[in-house]
Amino acid sequence: MRILSLQSGTSADGIDVAIVDIDADSAQSARNGRTPWLTVRPLLTRTVAWAPELRTRLLALADGGRVDAEELCRLDTLAGQEFASAARAAMQHLGSAVDLVVSHGQTVFHWVDGTRARGTLQLGEAAWIAEAAAAPVLSNLRAADIAAGGEGAPLMGIFDRAWLAASEADDGTPAATVNLGGIANLSVVTSGGTMVAWDTGPGNVLIDAVVARATNGARGFDADGKLAAAGQVDARLLSALLQHPYLQRPAPKSTGRETFGLHFVDSALAAAKGDSPLSLEDLVATLTRLTARSVADSLHTGTVERPGRLIASGGGVRNPSLMSALGAEVARNGISLVSSDVCGIEPDFKESLMFALLGFLSWHGVTCELPATAPGRARVAGQIAPGPGPLRMPAPLAGIRGLRVLPMEARTPAAAAGASR
Ligand SMILES: Nc1ncnc2c1ncn2[C@@H]1O[C@H](COP(=O)(O)OP(=O)(O)OP(=O)(O)O)[C@@H](O)[C@H]1O
Ligand SMILES: [Mg+2]
Protein backbone atom coordinates (compact mmCIF):
# COMPACT_ATOMS: atom_id res chain seq x y z
CA MET A 1 0.00 0.00 0.00
CA ARG A 2 1.11 3.58 -0.63
CA ILE A 3 1.44 5.69 2.49
CA LEU A 4 2.19 9.38 2.85
CA SER A 5 3.94 10.28 6.10
CA LEU A 6 3.86 13.79 7.58
CA GLN A 7 5.57 15.08 10.69
CA SER A 8 7.25 18.01 12.28
CA GLY A 9 9.63 17.23 15.13
CA THR A 10 10.47 18.89 18.42
CA SER A 11 12.66 21.42 16.61
CA ALA A 12 9.79 22.39 14.26
CA ASP A 13 12.55 22.89 11.69
CA GLY A 14 10.23 21.83 8.86
CA ILE A 15 7.54 19.39 7.79
CA ASP A 16 9.09 16.07 6.79
CA VAL A 17 7.10 14.40 4.02
CA ALA A 18 7.65 10.93 2.61
CA ILE A 19 5.66 8.75 0.26
CA VAL A 20 6.45 5.12 0.87
CA ASP A 21 5.26 1.80 -0.51
CA ILE A 22 4.90 -0.86 2.16
CA ASP A 23 4.05 -4.35 1.05
CA ALA A 24 3.65 -7.64 2.88
CA ASP A 25 4.79 -10.95 1.43
CA SER A 26 1.44 -12.23 2.65
CA ALA A 27 0.92 -14.94 0.08
CA GLN A 28 4.19 -16.60 1.02
CA SER A 29 3.57 -16.08 4.73
CA ALA A 30 0.07 -17.48 4.50
CA ARG A 31 1.52 -20.62 2.89
CA ASN A 32 3.97 -20.92 5.78
CA GLY A 33 1.37 -20.01 8.38
CA ARG A 34 3.54 -17.09 9.48
CA THR A 35 3.29 -13.37 9.99
CA PRO A 36 4.68 -11.50 6.97
CA TRP A 37 7.92 -9.72 6.24
CA LEU A 38 7.38 -6.20 4.98
CA THR A 39 9.26 -4.33 2.29
CA VAL A 40 9.46 -0.58 2.69
CA ARG A 41 10.40 1.44 -0.37
CA PRO A 42 10.61 5.24 -0.22
CA LEU A 43 9.40 6.96 -3.38
CA LEU A 44 9.76 10.58 -2.31
CA THR A 45 11.28 12.39 0.68
CA ARG A 46 11.35 16.14 1.24
CA THR A 47 11.27 18.74 3.98
CA VAL A 48 8.89 21.65 3.51
CA ALA A 49 9.48 24.88 5.44
CA TRP A 50 6.80 26.09 7.86
CA ALA A 51 5.37 29.52 7.14
CA PRO A 52 7.73 31.54 9.42
CA GLU A 53 5.01 33.33 11.36
CA LEU A 54 3.11 30.10 12.08
CA ARG A 55 6.31 28.38 13.16
CA THR A 56 7.01 31.22 15.61
CA ARG A 57 3.53 30.87 17.12
CA LEU A 58 3.78 27.07 17.37
CA LEU A 59 7.19 27.27 19.05
CA ALA A 60 5.95 29.94 21.46
CA LEU A 61 3.17 27.56 22.50
CA ALA A 62 5.54 24.56 22.73
CA ASP A 63 7.87 26.65 24.89
CA GLY A 64 5.13 27.23 27.44
CA GLY A 65 3.46 30.37 26.08
CA ARG A 66 -0.08 30.93 27.41
CA VAL A 67 -2.74 31.05 24.72
CA ASP A 68 -6.53 31.14 24.76
CA ALA A 69 -8.90 28.68 23.06
CA GLU A 70 -9.17 30.92 19.99
CA GLU A 71 -5.42 30.83 19.38
CA LEU A 72 -5.32 27.07 20.04
CA CYS A 73 -8.10 26.55 17.49
CA ARG A 74 -6.36 28.77 14.96
CA LEU A 75 -3.01 27.04 15.41
CA ASP A 76 -4.57 23.57 15.12
CA THR A 77 -6.37 24.62 11.94
CA LEU A 78 -3.45 26.48 10.36
CA ALA A 79 -1.04 23.63 11.13
CA GLY A 80 -3.53 21.16 9.60
CA GLN A 81 -3.70 23.32 6.49
CA GLU A 82 0.10 23.47 6.22
CA PHE A 83 0.36 19.69 6.54
CA ALA A 84 -2.44 19.41 3.96
CA SER A 85 -0.64 21.57 1.41
CA ALA A 86 2.63 19.71 2.01
CA ALA A 87 0.76 16.44 1.32
CA ARG A 88 -0.95 17.80 -1.78
CA ALA A 89 2.33 19.11 -3.25
CA ALA A 90 4.12 15.80 -2.65
CA MET A 91 1.34 13.79 -4.29
CA GLN A 92 1.31 16.15 -7.26
CA HIS A 93 5.07 15.87 -7.58
CA LEU A 94 4.92 12.09 -7.58
CA GLY A 95 1.81 12.11 -9.76
CA SER A 96 0.16 9.53 -7.54
CA ALA A 97 -2.71 9.01 -5.13
CA VAL A 98 -2.05 7.40 -1.75
CA ASP A 99 -3.98 4.79 0.23
CA LEU A 100 -3.36 6.33 3.63
CA VAL A 101 -1.80 9.42 5.19
CA VAL A 102 -0.13 9.18 8.59
CA SER A 103 0.20 12.56 10.27
CA HIS A 104 2.08 12.86 13.53
CA GLY A 105 1.39 16.59 13.81
CA GLN A 106 3.36 19.15 15.78
CA THR A 107 3.83 18.33 19.44
CA VAL A 108 3.09 21.35 21.61
CA PHE A 109 2.95 19.58 24.96
CA HIS A 110 3.94 16.20 26.39
CA TRP A 111 2.38 16.00 29.85
CA VAL A 112 4.51 14.00 32.27
CA ASP A 113 3.30 13.94 35.86
CA GLY A 114 6.10 12.81 38.16
CA THR A 115 7.42 9.86 36.20
CA ARG A 116 4.30 8.96 34.17
CA ALA A 117 3.02 10.33 30.88
CA ARG A 118 -0.57 11.56 31.35
CA GLY A 119 -1.29 13.17 28.01
CA THR A 120 0.25 14.58 24.87
CA LEU A 121 -0.93 17.18 22.37
CA GLN A 122 -0.04 17.29 18.69
CA LEU A 123 -1.60 20.01 16.52
CA GLY A 124 -2.60 19.78 12.85
CA GLU A 125 -6.30 18.98 12.33
CA ALA A 126 -6.46 15.80 10.25
CA ALA A 127 -9.69 16.72 8.42
CA TRP A 128 -7.81 19.30 6.32
CA ILE A 129 -5.24 16.72 5.33
CA ALA A 130 -7.92 14.16 4.43
CA GLU A 131 -9.57 16.77 2.20
CA ALA A 132 -6.31 17.61 0.43
CA ALA A 133 -5.14 14.03 0.00
CA ALA A 134 -8.59 12.54 -0.66
CA ALA A 135 -7.49 9.66 1.55
CA PRO A 136 -7.98 8.48 5.14
CA VAL A 137 -5.65 10.11 7.66
CA LEU A 138 -4.32 8.41 10.78
CA SER A 139 -3.30 10.90 13.47
CA ASN A 140 -3.01 11.26 17.26
CA LEU A 141 -0.69 8.26 17.32
CA ARG A 142 0.41 8.43 20.94
CA ALA A 143 -2.83 8.81 22.89
CA ALA A 144 -3.99 5.18 22.98
CA ASP A 145 -0.72 3.96 24.51
CA ILE A 146 -0.84 6.68 27.17
CA ALA A 147 -4.48 5.89 27.99
CA ALA A 148 -3.49 2.22 28.36
CA GLY A 149 -0.78 3.18 30.87
CA GLY A 150 2.25 3.64 28.57
CA GLU A 151 4.41 6.65 27.74
CA GLY A 152 3.23 7.08 24.13
CA ALA A 153 6.92 7.44 23.29
CA PRO A 154 9.42 6.85 21.89
CA LEU A 155 7.80 5.33 18.83
CA MET A 156 11.06 4.58 17.04
CA GLY A 157 11.49 1.29 18.91
CA ILE A 158 8.60 -0.19 16.90
CA PHE A 159 10.47 0.48 13.67
CA ASP A 160 13.83 -0.61 15.02
CA ARG A 161 12.53 -3.93 16.32
CA ALA A 162 11.13 -4.76 12.89
CA TRP A 163 14.10 -3.36 10.95
CA LEU A 164 16.92 -4.80 13.02
CA ALA A 165 15.21 -8.17 13.18
CA ALA A 166 16.17 -8.45 9.52
CA SER A 167 19.58 -6.84 9.47
CA GLU A 168 21.16 -7.98 12.72
CA ALA A 169 19.35 -11.21 13.48
CA ASP A 170 22.32 -13.58 13.18
CA ASP A 171 24.97 -11.31 14.57
CA GLY A 172 24.31 -12.21 18.22
CA THR A 173 25.12 -8.78 19.63
CA PRO A 174 22.33 -6.27 20.25
CA ALA A 175 22.03 -3.34 17.88
CA ALA A 176 21.34 0.17 19.09
CA THR A 177 20.03 3.23 17.32
CA VAL A 178 19.93 6.87 18.34
CA ASN A 179 17.77 9.54 16.73
CA LEU A 180 19.36 12.94 17.23
CA GLY A 181 16.33 15.19 16.83
CA GLY A 182 15.38 18.01 19.19
CA ILE A 183 15.27 15.33 21.87
CA ALA A 184 17.53 12.27 21.53
CA ASN A 185 16.07 8.79 21.77
CA LEU A 186 17.72 5.39 21.89
CA SER A 187 16.49 1.93 20.95
CA VAL A 188 18.31 -1.29 21.73
CA VAL A 189 17.21 -4.50 20.04
CA THR A 190 18.63 -7.87 20.98
CA SER A 191 18.99 -10.70 18.50
CA GLY A 192 16.08 -12.39 20.32
CA GLY A 193 13.90 -9.44 19.27
CA THR A 194 13.55 -7.82 22.70
CA MET A 195 13.46 -4.05 22.41
CA VAL A 196 14.04 -1.27 24.88
CA ALA A 197 13.76 2.38 23.88
CA TRP A 198 13.68 5.69 25.71
CA ASP A 199 14.32 9.41 25.37
CA THR A 200 17.79 10.09 26.73
CA GLY A 201 17.28 13.87 27.06
CA PRO A 202 18.43 16.75 24.86
CA GLY A 203 19.45 16.16 21.26
CA ASN A 204 19.77 19.47 19.41
CA VAL A 205 17.13 21.43 21.31
CA LEU A 206 19.42 23.25 23.75
CA ILE A 207 22.08 23.98 21.13
CA ASP A 208 19.38 25.45 18.85
CA ALA A 209 17.91 27.51 21.69
CA VAL A 210 21.16 29.19 22.77
CA VAL A 211 22.22 29.89 19.18
CA ALA A 212 18.81 31.44 18.38
CA ARG A 213 18.93 33.59 21.52
CA ALA A 214 22.48 34.80 20.94
CA THR A 215 21.76 35.75 17.33
CA ASN A 216 18.28 37.21 17.96
CA GLY A 217 16.82 34.42 15.86
CA ALA A 218 19.07 35.09 12.85
CA ARG A 219 20.50 31.56 13.19
CA GLY A 220 18.52 28.61 14.50
CA PHE A 221 21.22 25.97 14.96
CA ASP A 222 25.00 25.44 15.07
CA ALA A 223 25.51 24.98 11.32
CA ASP A 224 27.94 22.11 10.70
CA GLY A 225 28.98 22.22 14.35
CA LYS A 226 31.30 25.17 13.73
CA LEU A 227 30.58 27.03 16.96
CA ALA A 228 31.15 23.89 19.02
CA ALA A 229 34.38 23.19 17.13
CA ALA A 230 35.64 26.68 18.00
CA GLY A 231 34.81 26.37 21.71
CA GLN A 232 36.01 24.48 24.78
CA VAL A 233 33.83 22.30 27.01
CA ASP A 234 33.35 23.98 30.40
CA ALA A 235 33.70 21.14 32.89
CA ARG A 236 31.84 22.87 35.74
CA LEU A 237 28.88 23.75 33.57
CA LEU A 238 28.81 20.27 32.05
CA SER A 239 28.72 18.72 35.48
CA ALA A 240 25.90 21.08 36.58
CA LEU A 241 23.90 20.21 33.46
CA LEU A 242 24.40 16.48 34.01
CA GLN A 243 22.68 16.82 37.41
CA HIS A 244 19.28 17.22 35.75
CA PRO A 245 16.94 14.71 37.47
CA TYR A 246 15.62 13.41 34.14
CA LEU A 247 19.12 12.25 33.19
CA GLN A 248 19.37 10.27 36.44
CA ARG A 249 16.01 8.52 36.03
CA PRO A 250 16.01 4.93 34.80
CA ALA A 251 14.29 4.04 31.50
CA PRO A 252 11.62 3.76 30.20
CA LYS A 253 11.05 7.50 30.12
CA SER A 254 10.07 10.24 27.70
CA THR A 255 10.55 13.98 27.65
CA GLY A 256 10.18 17.12 25.53
CA ARG A 257 10.95 20.80 25.07
CA GLU A 258 9.02 21.74 28.20
CA THR A 259 11.69 19.97 30.31
CA PHE A 260 14.78 20.90 28.30
CA GLY A 261 14.64 24.60 27.53
CA LEU A 262 16.61 27.79 28.14
CA HIS A 263 15.41 27.95 31.77
CA PHE A 264 17.39 24.76 32.46
CA VAL A 265 20.56 26.06 30.74
CA ASP A 266 20.31 29.39 32.56
CA SER A 267 19.94 27.86 36.00
CA ALA A 268 22.89 25.50 35.38
CA LEU A 269 24.93 28.48 34.15
CA ALA A 270 24.09 30.45 37.29
CA ALA A 271 24.99 27.50 39.52
CA ALA A 272 28.27 26.70 37.76
CA LYS A 273 29.54 30.09 36.64
CA GLY A 274 27.87 32.71 38.83
CA ASP A 275 28.56 35.99 37.06
CA SER A 276 31.58 34.85 35.03
CA PRO A 277 30.76 35.04 31.35
CA LEU A 278 30.97 32.14 28.93
CA SER A 279 31.41 32.63 25.19
CA LEU A 280 28.73 31.31 22.84
CA GLU A 281 31.32 28.92 21.39
CA ASP A 282 32.13 27.45 24.81
CA LEU A 283 28.44 27.23 25.70
CA VAL A 284 27.63 25.40 22.46
CA ALA A 285 30.65 23.10 22.87
CA THR A 286 29.44 22.25 26.38
CA LEU A 287 25.84 21.61 25.29
CA THR A 288 27.08 19.47 22.40
CA ARG A 289 29.11 17.42 24.87
CA LEU A 290 26.06 17.20 27.16
CA THR A 291 24.05 15.54 24.38
CA ALA A 292 26.90 13.15 23.56
CA ARG A 293 27.62 12.28 27.21
CA SER A 294 23.96 11.82 28.19
CA VAL A 295 23.28 9.54 25.22
CA ALA A 296 26.41 7.47 25.91
CA ASP A 297 25.80 7.25 29.68
CA SER A 298 22.19 6.32 29.13
CA LEU A 299 23.15 3.62 26.65
CA HIS A 300 25.71 2.28 29.09
CA THR A 301 23.50 2.22 32.17
CA GLY A 302 20.25 1.27 30.41
CA THR A 303 21.39 -1.90 28.68
CA VAL A 304 22.50 -5.21 30.06
CA GLU A 305 24.16 -6.51 26.90
CA ARG A 306 26.51 -4.07 25.22
CA PRO A 307 25.62 -3.30 21.59
CA GLY A 308 28.35 -3.52 18.95
CA ARG A 309 27.34 -0.41 17.11
CA LEU A 310 25.14 2.61 17.42
CA ILE A 311 23.26 3.65 14.27
CA ALA A 312 22.52 7.38 14.24
CA SER A 313 19.76 9.29 12.44
CA GLY A 314 18.05 12.67 12.73
CA GLY A 315 19.31 16.17 11.96
CA GLY A 316 22.13 15.85 14.52
CA VAL A 317 23.94 13.52 12.11
CA ARG A 318 24.66 16.66 10.05
CA ASN A 319 26.56 18.18 12.98
CA PRO A 320 30.15 16.85 12.79
CA SER A 321 31.02 18.18 16.26
CA LEU A 322 28.12 16.28 17.80
CA MET A 323 28.91 13.11 15.86
CA SER A 324 32.58 13.20 16.82
CA ALA A 325 31.76 13.89 20.50
CA LEU A 326 29.24 11.03 20.52
CA GLY A 327 31.63 8.74 18.65
CA ALA A 328 34.32 9.41 21.27
CA GLU A 329 31.92 8.91 24.20
CA VAL A 330 30.57 5.55 23.00
CA ALA A 331 34.00 4.33 21.87
CA ARG A 332 35.00 4.32 25.57
CA ASN A 333 32.59 1.39 25.91
CA GLY A 334 33.78 -0.31 22.72
CA ILE A 335 30.79 0.80 20.62
CA SER A 336 31.21 2.20 17.13
CA LEU A 337 29.00 5.01 15.81
CA VAL A 338 27.70 4.95 12.23
CA SER A 339 25.13 6.99 10.31
CA SER A 340 21.97 5.17 9.25
CA ASP A 341 23.05 5.99 5.67
CA VAL A 342 25.49 3.10 5.97
CA CYS A 343 22.52 0.81 6.61
CA GLY A 344 20.44 2.15 3.72
CA ILE A 345 18.27 4.71 5.50
CA GLU A 346 18.55 8.45 4.86
CA PRO A 347 19.17 9.88 8.37
CA ASP A 348 16.75 12.80 7.88
CA PHE A 349 13.87 10.50 7.00
CA LYS A 350 14.13 7.50 9.30
CA GLU A 351 11.28 8.94 11.40
CA SER A 352 9.19 9.37 8.25
CA LEU A 353 9.63 5.66 7.47
CA MET A 354 8.73 4.87 11.07
CA PHE A 355 5.46 6.81 10.84
CA ALA A 356 4.63 5.08 7.55
CA LEU A 357 5.20 1.73 9.27
CA LEU A 358 2.92 2.73 12.16
CA GLY A 359 0.28 3.59 9.57
CA PHE A 360 0.61 0.19 7.92
CA LEU A 361 0.37 -1.57 11.28
CA SER A 362 -2.70 0.35 12.48
CA TRP A 363 -4.41 -0.06 9.11
CA HIS A 364 -3.95 -3.81 9.53
CA GLY A 365 -5.09 -3.81 13.16
CA VAL A 366 -1.63 -4.63 14.54
CA THR A 367 -1.03 -3.30 18.05
CA CYS A 368 2.03 -1.28 19.04
CA GLU A 369 4.00 -2.52 21.96
CA LEU A 370 6.06 0.44 23.12
CA PRO A 371 8.78 0.18 25.77
CA ALA A 372 6.53 1.25 28.67
CA THR A 373 3.45 -0.60 27.49
CA ALA A 374 2.35 -3.08 30.15
CA PRO A 375 1.95 -6.73 29.12
CA GLY A 376 -1.40 -7.29 27.42
CA ARG A 377 -2.06 -3.56 27.06
CA ALA A 378 -0.65 -2.87 23.59
CA ARG A 379 -3.14 -0.88 21.52
CA VAL A 380 -3.62 -0.05 17.87
CA ALA A 381 -2.09 3.42 17.44
CA GLY A 382 -4.00 6.45 16.19
CA GLN A 383 -7.39 7.71 15.15
CA ILE A 384 -8.70 7.77 11.59
CA ALA A 385 -10.30 10.65 9.68
CA PRO A 386 -11.98 8.72 6.84
CA GLY A 387 -11.68 11.31 4.05
CA PRO A 388 -14.16 11.38 1.18
CA GLY A 389 -14.94 7.68 0.80
CA PRO A 390 -16.30 5.05 3.18
CA LEU A 391 -13.53 3.30 5.09
CA ARG A 392 -12.56 -0.06 3.69
CA MET A 393 -10.11 -1.70 6.02
CA PRO A 394 -8.15 -4.81 4.98
CA ALA A 395 -8.27 -8.10 6.87
CA PRO A 396 -6.27 -7.71 10.10
CA LEU A 397 -2.80 -9.22 10.39
CA ALA A 398 -1.67 -11.06 13.51
CA GLY A 399 1.63 -9.14 13.43
CA ILE A 400 4.73 -8.78 11.30
CA ARG A 401 8.03 -10.63 11.37
CA GLY A 402 10.24 -7.78 10.33
CA LEU A 403 10.92 -5.35 7.53
CA ARG A 404 13.47 -4.64 4.86
CA VAL A 405 14.11 -1.15 3.59
CA LEU A 406 14.71 -1.00 -0.15
CA PRO A 407 16.61 1.86 -1.79
CA MET A 408 14.68 4.90 -2.95
CA GLU A 409 12.92 4.01 -6.20
CA ALA A 410 14.92 5.23 -9.19
CA ARG A 411 13.28 8.36 -10.60
CA THR A 412 13.32 9.82 -14.07
CA PRO A 413 16.01 12.55 -14.35
CA ALA A 414 13.30 15.22 -14.70
CA ALA A 415 11.49 14.08 -11.57
CA ALA A 416 14.74 13.70 -9.62
CA ALA A 417 15.86 17.21 -10.62
CA GLY A 418 12.62 18.63 -9.26
CA ALA A 419 12.92 16.88 -5.89
CA SER A 420 13.56 19.20 -2.98
CA ARG A 421 16.25 16.91 -1.49
N1 LIG B 1 23.96 21.18 8.95
C1 LIG B 1 23.63 21.06 10.24
N2 LIG B 1 24.53 21.34 11.20
C2 LIG B 1 24.23 21.25 12.50
N3 LIG B 1 23.02 20.85 12.95
C3 LIG B 1 22.08 20.55 12.04
C4 LIG B 1 22.33 20.63 10.64
N4 LIG B 1 21.19 20.26 9.99
C5 LIG B 1 20.29 19.97 10.95
N5 LIG B 1 20.80 20.15 12.18
C6 LIG B 1 20.13 19.99 13.47
O1 LIG B 1 19.09 19.05 13.35
C7 LIG B 1 17.87 19.63 13.86
C8 LIG B 1 16.69 19.02 13.14
O2 LIG B 1 16.74 17.63 13.31
P1 LIG B 1 15.45 16.75 13.23
O3 LIG B 1 14.59 17.24 12.13
O4 LIG B 1 15.89 15.34 13.24
O5 LIG B 1 14.80 17.10 14.62
P2 LIG B 1 13.32 17.27 15.05
O6 LIG B 1 12.58 17.97 13.97
O7 LIG B 1 13.36 17.91 16.39
O8 LIG B 1 12.79 15.81 15.13
P3 LIG B 1 12.23 14.88 16.30
O9 LIG B 1 11.94 15.68 17.50
O10 LIG B 1 10.99 14.33 15.69
O11 LIG B 1 13.25 13.85 16.47
C9 LIG B 1 18.02 21.11 13.65
O12 LIG B 1 17.20 21.83 14.54
C10 LIG B 1 19.51 21.30 13.92
O13 LIG B 1 19.76 21.42 15.29
MG1 LIG C 1 12.70 18.00 11.99
Side-chain angles (χ1 to χ4, degrees), residues 109-112 116-122 140-153 254 368 370 372-373 377 379:
F109 197 72
H110 190 66
W111 177 18
V112 179
R116 256 204 69 188
R118 300 277 174 188
T120 190
L121 184 60
Q122 285 79 40
N140 210 4
L141 297 157
R142 302 180 188 270
D145 185 62
I146 294 178
E151 291 277 315
S254 60
C368 276
L370 296 182
T373 309
R377 296 189 65 92
R379 300 290 179 251

Side-chain angles (χ1 to χ4, degrees), residues 7-16 47 50 181-182 314-315 348 351 421:
Q7 73 118 358
S8 175
T10 326
S11 312
D13 58 313
I15 299 174
D16 294 334
T47 300
W50 281 105
D348 287 324
E351 283 193 323
R421 277 207 185 176

Side-chain angles (χ1 to χ4, degrees), residues 10 62 107 110 112 183 199 205 246 254-261:
T10 326
T107 298
H110 190 66
V112 179
I183 297 295
D199 288 342
V205 68
Y246 181 84
S254 60
T255 189
R257 297 178 73 90
E258 51 288 311
T259 304
F260 289 102

Side-chain angles (χ1 to χ4, degrees), residues 77-382:
T77 304
L78 292 170
Q81 290 169 343
E82 290 262 309
F83 284 121
S85 62
R88 188 187 296 111
M91 288 167 63
Q92 274 168 1
H93 185 82
L94 195 67
S96 168
V98 298
D99 301 303
L100 177 70
V101 178
V102 181
S103 180
H104 174 259
Q106 175 67 56
T107 298
V108 290
F109 197 72
H110 190 66
W111 177 18
V112 179
D113 187 6
T115 58
R116 256 204 69 188
R118 300 277 174 188
T120 190
L121 184 60
Q122 285 79 40
L123 297 189
E125 170 54 51
W128 294 97
I129 307 167
E131 281 300 310
V137 177
L138 183 81
S139 64
N140 210 4
L141 297 157
R142 302 180 188 270
D145 185 62
I146 294 178
E151 291 277 315
L155 299 169
M156 191 58 99
I158 300 284
F159 182 90
D160 285 333
R161 182 166 42 205
W163 179 49
L164 297 172
S167 61
E168 313 264 338
D170 302 325
D171 176 286
T173 51
T177 74
V178 62
N179 195 68
L180 298 166
I183 297 295
N185 59 271
L186 275 173
S187 313
V188 183
V189 180
T190 66
S191 54
T194 332
M195 177 268 290
V196 285
W198 65 98
D199 288 342
T200 60
N204 303 294
V205 68
L206 299 176
I207 302 169
D208 290 0
V210 298
V211 172
R213 178 165 68 179
T215 61
N216 282 326
R219 285 190 272 158
F221 59 100
D222 179 17
D224 303 330
K226 288 196 173 125
L227 289 167
Q232 298 286 328
V233 173
D234 185 286
R236 286 182 65 188
L237 175 60
L238 179 62
S239 124
L241 291 162
L242 285 166
Q243 301 307 312
H244 192 293
Y246 181 84
L247 304 180
Q248 321 294 329
R249 258 178 58 197
K253 55 184 177 174
S254 60
T255 189
R257 297 178 73 90
E258 51 288 311
T259 304
F260 289 102
L262 282 172
H263 52 91
F264 160 55
V265 177
D266 289 341
S267 55
L269 264 173
K273 305 292 293 177
D275 288 334
S276 24
L278 194 67
S279 70
L280 178 63
E281 288 81 359
D282 289 355
L283 179 56
V284 172
T286 307
L287 293 173
T288 302
R289 180 61 67 164
L290 171 71
T291 295
R293 177 73 56 82
S294 56
V295 169
D297 283 354
S298 200
L299 180 59
H300 187 54
T301 53
T303 50
V304 185
E305 296 170 69
R306 195 179 65 200
R309 62 180 181 164
L310 178 62
I311 305 168
S313 59
V317 170
R318 293 168 176 265
N319 179 336
S321 297
L322 178 56
M323 287 296 278
S324 82
L326 181 56
E329 291 284 346
V330 296
R332 293 197 290 160
N333 289 313
I335 300 167
S336 59
L337 178 69
V338 294
S339 158
S340 65
D341 255 343
V342 175
C343 313
I345 295 185
E346 239 185 307
D348 287 324
F349 294 100
K350 184 167 179 243
E351 283 193 323
S352 299
L353 302 190
M354 179 269 286
F355 286 120
L357 172 68
L358 277 186
F360 181 94
L361 295 176
S362 292
W363 194 242
H364 290 86
V366 179
T367 57
C368 276
E369 197 181 326
L370 296 182
T373 309
R377 296 189 65 92
R379 300 290 179 251
V380 175

Side-chain angles (χ1 to χ4, degrees), residues 392-403:
R392 286 196 194 85
M393 311 285 286
L397 289 172
I400 59 164
R401 286 190 77 196
L403 66 84

